Amino acid sequence: MRKAGVLYCNCCGKMISESCGADREEFFHFEKTWGYFSEKDGTSQTADICESCFEQWMSQFRIPPQTVERTEIFEC
Ligand SMILES: [Zn+2]
C-alpha cells in the first residue's frame, strides 16, 4: 500500500520503501480485478506484501508454490 509516496506492507504495516522508484527492498505486489463469477464482481484489490510476510503466507499453502532457481540473468 502506498501512502504519500511511502510503501507499506499491507500485512504487517512495516515500511517497505520510502520513495517512489527507489524500491531496493523486494516485495510482492498484486492486483486483482474480480470478474463476473465472483461475489466481488466489479471490484479491484491491490496489495503489497513484504518478503517476510510473503514467506509466512506461502508456508500456509498446502501445495507450496513452485520455486525455480534462475541460472540466467536476462538483460533488458
Ligand atoms: Zn509485512
Side-chain angles (χ1 to χ4, degrees), residues 8-45:
Y8 295 95
C9 171
N10 277 75
C11 188
C12 67
K14 187 185 93 165
M15 189 175 77
I16 298 172
S17 178
E18 267 184 276
S19 54
C20 294
D23 300 329
R24 266 177 282 145
E25 272 210 59
E26 292 282 323
F27 62 95
F28 175 71
H29 174 82
F30 77 82
E31 209 173 321
K32 171 69 184 162
T33 302
W34 297 96
Y36 185 73
F37 296 105
S38 163
E39 284 175 20
K40 300 182 192 62
D41 183 23
T43 60
S44 264
Q45 291 176 308

